[in-house]
Amino acid sequence: QGRAVEYGGGSVQAGGSLNLSCTISGIRFDDYAVGWFRQAPEKEREGVSCISHNGDSTFYEDSVKGRFTISRDNNKKTLFLQMNNLEPDDTAVYYCVAAEEYDFCLLGVIRDNYWDQGTQVTVSL
């Protein structure tokens, strides 16, 4: 089972930027699709972005298109999420996940062990 550690969350004003990063141990990182999910208070968890194992395919949830950029460095076993022009609705706990297949990330078929930590992002007006 993989274990993810997220970094880079914080509090910013609307219009600001944050760059999240994540390292995942316990898996062969470059064999897995990886992605970011988020959960806001009293809301369902939602997929934000996914990237295939080699970086050739990416997905973005509609509300973050054009503002967020996902990337990965397989040599460093690290996933990134550059978040620009942040909005108050982006406030949530952000989770880094890995999935055996890219479609699993798109469908939210994620093992439970990835929901343990997360990093808080708070965007204020």
Side-chain angles (χ1 to χ4, degrees):
Q1 286 187 339
R3 181 175 181 274
V5 179
E6 297 92 347
Y7 305 91
S11 297
V12 296
Q13 289 189 319
S17 298
L18 286 172
N19 188 20
L20 304 184
S21 62
C22 163
T23 57
I24 303 179
S25 59
I27 61 170
R28 183 165 174 166
F29 184 81
D30 53 1
D31 280 349
Y32 283 70
V34 287
W36 295 93
F37 283 66
R38 67 185 179 186
Q39 187 164 21
E42 301 182 359
K43 291 188 177 180
E44 294 287 321
R45 190 161 54 212
E46 65 175 353
V48 175
S49 184
C50 297
I51 185 168
S52 60
H53 73 286
N54 59 6
D56 283 354
S57 298
T58 58
F59 159 81
Y60 295 96
E61 191 270 330
D62 283 347
S63 70
V64 308
K65 285 180 181 176
R67 300 188 297 121
F68 290 11
T69 303
I70 192 170
S71 62
R72 64 189 295 164
D73 184 333
N74 284 347
N75 289 328
K76 296 182 178 179
K77 300 182 180 181
T78 303
L79 174 67
F80 303 96
L81 186 69
Q82 177 65 44
M83 305 187 295
N84 296 330
N85 195 20
L86 282 159
E87 303 171 353
D89 283 349
D90 295 319
T91 296
V93 177
Y94 284 69
Y95 299 90
C96 166
V97 304
E100 289 88 343
E101 301 287 342
Y102 180 61
D103 286 349
F104 290 178
C105 186
L106 300 181
L107 294 170
V109 179
I110 305 297
R111 295 182 185 272
D112 289 344
N113 49 287
Y114 290 106
W115 309 122
D116 289 343
Q117 182 173 323
T119 187
Q120 177 70 46
V121 171
T122 303
V123 185
S124 58
L125 287 172

